[in-house]
Amino acid sequence: MTLRAAVRIGVCCLSAFAMPVAASAQTPPTEQDLLARMSRQPAELVNYLELTRLYAAAQRYPDAEDILVRAVAVVRSLRQASQTPAGAPAAGPTPAEQDLVARVAASPNAIGNYLDLATHYADARRYTESDQTLMKALALLRNARMGRAAPGAEAPLRVGGDISEPRKIFDAKPVYPAEAQAAKVSGIVILEVVIDATGGVRDAKVLRSVPMLDQAALDSVKQWRFTPTLLNGAPVEVIMTVTVNFTIGN
């Protein structure tokens, strides 16, 4: 008996359709990779922020908070060691900064936007602004842990009409659970996903369940990445329906 798991994506309806998928050129780092990097490079901010992003995507909010607090400490240490005075005037905003600020404004409940902006500020040695941005991200994580939306956050927009469907650019195939294989369980799990302004899957919930396959489907779609969805030129969060098809063939 051979096994194949095919993933199809459907938007706002239950019918599936084919979509070209471009595989990522580089596998994202795992939790173990990032913890090892942090141990070897305790002053490298990007490792803390990538691990925060990973934990937040997995809804491990206490872990994300802990790592982000450590990231804030790294930024403050860098600020103290820097020769740039905390109150020194900054140069005018670059196009990259303007884009990141626009993303934060468009999707104030997307943690990745704050982490990207904080990284930009830190790279520019603007540690005070990086610190302030990370503190906003920390407040966002605490709100998420307590089940509250970020202040001023707008609900994601549903794909359809003027809201174009995003294109998937990173696909993670589902792992067929061994117990489901043994029981010859197959079927289609239908999920509703929230895609943040950067194209990452911020949240996912099962709409139609196949109990032995639901978790595998969730684990798969939470790793998917899409092109950002734009509304009036600004990236926004969107909701769409996706399907994960588990088939056991002869």
Side-chain angles (χ1 to χ4, degrees):
M1 179 178 294
T2 62
L3 173 66
R4 54 190 175 84
V7 179
R8 298 186 180 90
I9 179 169
V11 178
C12 299
C13 61
L14 304 186
S15 60
F17 61 93
M19 175 177 290
V21 175
S24 173
Q26 184 176 8
T27 302
T30 66
E31 176 183 5
Q32 291 73 22
D33 293 334
L34 292 167
L35 288 170
R37 291 180 192 178
M38 287 165 54
S39 178
R40 294 193 305 267
Q41 304 168 315
E44 189 66 37
L45 179 64
V46 66
N47 297 329
Y48 296 85
L49 299 189
E50 285 303 307
L51 187 55
T52 298
R53 194 189 307 268
L54 187 152
Y55 284 150
Q59 299 184 13
R60 293 170 57 180
Y61 298 124
D63 291 331
E65 283 184 49
D66 177 65
I67 298 301
L68 195 54
V69 166
R70 294 167 64 182
V72 170
V74 169
V75 168
R76 291 177 180 175
S77 176
L78 291 170
R79 183 178 65 191
Q80 291 175 355
S82 173
Q83 298 301 312
T84 304
T94 64
E97 179 184 350
Q98 291 175 331
D99 177 63
L100 290 168
V101 170
R103 292 186 183 188
V104 168
S107 299
N109 57 342
I111 183 69
N113 295 337
Y114 294 86
L115 301 183
D116 290 340
L117 183 57
T119 300
H120 175 83
Y121 285 142
D123 289 344
R125 298 170 61 86
R126 294 165 60 180
Y127 298 121
T128 298
E129 290 155 290
S130 183
D131 185 346
Q132 293 169 346
T133 304
L134 290 179
M135 291 304 294
K136 292 177 183 177
L138 189 58
L140 190 69
L141 281 173
R142 287 171 177 162
N143 283 334
R145 175 168 54 83
M146 292 183 285
R148 298 199 302 260
E154 296 182 1
L157 303 174
R158 188 167 291 278
V159 167
D162 293 335
I163 309 301
S164 300
E165 64 189 56
R167 179 173 59 87
K168 186 162 59 170
I169 57 176
F170 177 78
D171 181 44
K173 300 295 183 183
V175 177
Y176 216 121
E179 61 274 20
Q181 281 189 65
K184 298 184 179 179
V185 173
S186 61
I188 298 174
V189 180
I190 301 174
L191 310 98
E192 184 176 78
V193 299
V194 178
I195 302 171
D196 68 26
T198 68
V201 175
R202 178 173 67 79
D203 193 18
K205 65 179 180 180
V206 174
L207 296 181
R208 192 177 79 180
S209 171
V210 180
M212 296 182 74
L213 303 174
D214 289 353
Q215 190 58 53
L218 286 166
D219 291 343
S220 171
V221 301
K222 286 181 179 179
Q223 299 177 65
W224 294 358
R225 289 196 65 83
F226 297 81
T227 55
T229 301
L230 302 180
L231 179 64
N232 298 324
V236 294
E237 289 193 337
V238 295
I239 297 178
M240 61 193 296
T241 301
V242 302
T243 63
V244 181
N245 186 8
F246 294 84
T247 304
I248 297 179
N250 293 324

